[in-house]
Amino acid sequence: MCQAVPYRITTLAGSGAVVFTGEGGAATGARLVDPDAAARDAAGNIYITDSFLNLVLRVSPSGVITRFAGTGTAGFAGDGGTALQVQLNGPLGIVVDAAGNVYVADSVNSRIRRIGTDGVISTVAGPQAPASLVGPRDLVLSQDGAQLYFSEPSQDRVRRLTLASGAVAVVAGTGTQGDSGEGGPAGNARLNSPQGLGLDKDGLLLIADSLNFKVKRVGANGNITTIAGNGQSASTGNGGSATTASLAEPADVFGAPDGSIYISNLRNGGIRVVGAGGSIGNFGSGTFENPVSLFPLPDGGFLIVRKFARVVSRVNGAAITPFAGISSSDGIGDGGPAEGAKFFLPLGVVVAGNGDVFVGDFKDVRVRRIRNGVISTVGTAQGEALAFDSRGRLHATNGSGVVRIEADGSSTRIAGTGVAGFSGDGSVANTARLQFAEGLAFDSTDTMYIADTRNHRIRRVDGTTGIITTFAGTGVSGYSGDGGAATAAQLSFPRGLAVGPDGTLYIADSDNHRVRTVGRDGVIRTFAGTGVAAFDGDGGLAASTGVPAPMDVAVDRAGTVYISGQARTWMVDGERRIRTIAGTGAFGFSGDGGAATKARLFGARGIEVDGNGVVLLVDTLNQRLRRLEPIGPAKGLVHSASFQEGAIAPGQILSLFGEGFGPAEGAGAVLGPDGVLLTTIGGVQVTFNDVPGPIFFTNRTQVNVQAPYELAGADFATIKVISGGVTRTTLVSAVVAAAPAIYSLAGGKGQIVALNQSGGLNGPGAPAKWGEVLVFFASGDGQLSPAGRTGVPAAAPLAATAQAVTVEIGGRAARVLYGGPAPGFVGLMQLNVLVPDEAAVGPAVPIVLRVGAQGSPAGSTVAIER
């Protein structure tokens, strides 16, 4: 079974969400993080969505920027209220109708929302059927304003909302990924992640069919045709026909009044223009960092939303001027404490041999290092995944490639050309094309494995030759191939990777809701997950347990596997049994300082285990790096009955060992005037979460103390031994409801301290008989009923142990006549039981005490005869 090692969760780096700054000032001085789309109203106001800030911003004709919609906190709330009181979640596309109503694609909420001219917000489509939506991306209004077109990239389709009736219908795409249907009805065609939408001069719908690397148009007769792109991801063909040219992932499109069509190429930063005659060329001579969105202006110019530059630029002829945003975050927090820094969507994490922690700050395109609690920037990369080779060189995924971060902060391209696509097997890795690499790992020979996520493959780069090949996956999204060659298997959006001690590659096969392995034999198998997007519960075999959307995977030196999965993190032990180590399954942020299983996570992503068993977890949408510290037995803290280390229970008697505690001659327990044991003896005090515990005895190397009943309900206890006003030692222990152990004559094991019915001491020469009463003693029974008072000797009427108490003698259940505090003692439990008939007989019969779900350690014995 899985070891029940609890983890305490804390934040190692990051202080939560980046907030919008610059409100009420010039738009060119405002800090945007993830601008996505822009729109204009009749009065000249420009509206900009920022999916990271969860806001819609408005820039007045005079250039002043203000919040228009959203509180800045991700979520869904506010319908029927004013726009500034509403919660949005990843707003993307935006459009304004002739009356001044603003429509927003509230993408993560899978809704389209309208902000009326009165400032009131409402949902006009989604999530309920028949208008259920999935991640709406871009919006465009028909020329008459009656229809609102919207793209759904994850569903490979474009649909239409009739504003008057609320009816939703498919315009283009079958909902199945592909590239087909040319010249036929658009609803029968296959698309691949359609993104931006626009209209040509005649009002016909234009679609940036992004991962087909084409722009398509839906004619007046409803048929679809390609107007630009040959299906190859590149930027070639200038001066020739647009349909024979290549496009580098078209992200948006619009038609100009002269019949020209403008296309933004996301992956090479270029703007392409298709003339009225069908030939294609570049707009201008420069590039724009990730031009995700274009918006035409009445003066013939247009706005470019430059996503990774975090700015919106205005284009008039050859002039390009700033419109909104500043281009750098300046690495908020660099040079200061890591927990005070701001992340812009952290994703990857890795630990160096010297203990330095590196984080890929995706939206900020930075790799940041945490050393001795201080954060700094060490290089430029998106850092969806990070890994070290055997020489200690840091590598990072960077969009559709892998770079090595050099000591001077420069980057060397190791794999991928940087242009999305698939090519290059059998050639040098940096001449190949990848499509969004989101996983990275090295084996002991410096062979590099890359999760080529949107190609649904794992690519392998030979550590000696640098040649890249496909290691797993056919390139077609799906689930198949277990038990056969990995290259013949189907994967679906593989993300995190890890190499185990035996060379096995672990793959977070995310959209298949599985973790899969490829051994040295090249055979692929399912390691965890059933394909169902729901968690089945702890303790079962990992391969028979649902593991929804695993995002990353890590393996420690012992071969224990750790899996991150959005709102939970799991551990799989050597018996391949799975249990949750962090997260409740509900999204949010909570729990720092407490049990990791009671904490809330929001988009748990990268995961790493250091040499001390500490798990580092990227809590992506909470903008934090969180630390899961295993709370094992506290060294020097033992149960007073069993002398074993372990979790502690409220009211339990404990022994702590160390140096410099109490007086050399020792000091014993003292009752105060109120009849309660004193908590300071010989200048020594022991606190549990700052609550002092009654002391029974102390000397220079030992303290015997009762854990306060106030620990009931706590997950952990921070225990401090304070002597002469100085903290001599600090320990952390897990707290459990009960930790029962029976007192023995030899200390810890063997013959227990027990009284026979005659009153004599039980032992091999004086055994108890079947049917007689046996009295023995224990500690660690936890809270009492009514609740126990710390340090108070028990007196009649006696309380009872709050949880169920059972005893087995020689494998037979014994009838418990009484289980509760021993009269006149503090923290001591007394058990009065009837020796069962048919119990085993002999001088050393095993006896087990259970309180609730916890049993006493093995090794306690009692003498029994017939």
Side-chain angles (χ1 to χ4, degrees), residues 699-724:
N699 65 13
R700 186 174 57 83
T701 61
Q702 181 176 348
V703 181
N704 295 342
V705 63
Q706 182 189 20
Y709 284 110
E710 287 86 342
L711 290 181
D715 298 304
F716 305 105
T718 299
I719 305 165
K720 297 179 181 179
V721 179
I722 304 167
S723 177

Side-chain angles (χ1 to χ4, degrees), residues 469-487:
T469 54
T470 292
F471 182 73
T474 64
V476 177
S477 176
Y479 174 71
S480 69
D482 267 8
T487 51

Side-chain angles (χ1 to χ4, degrees), residues 381-395:
Q382 290 172 303
E384 300 96 327
L386 307 173
F388 284 101
D389 64 15
S390 66
R391 295 167 59 183
R393 298 179 299 180
L394 178 63
H395 293 69

Side-chain angles (χ1 to χ4, degrees), residues 387 427 861:
S427 62
T861 62

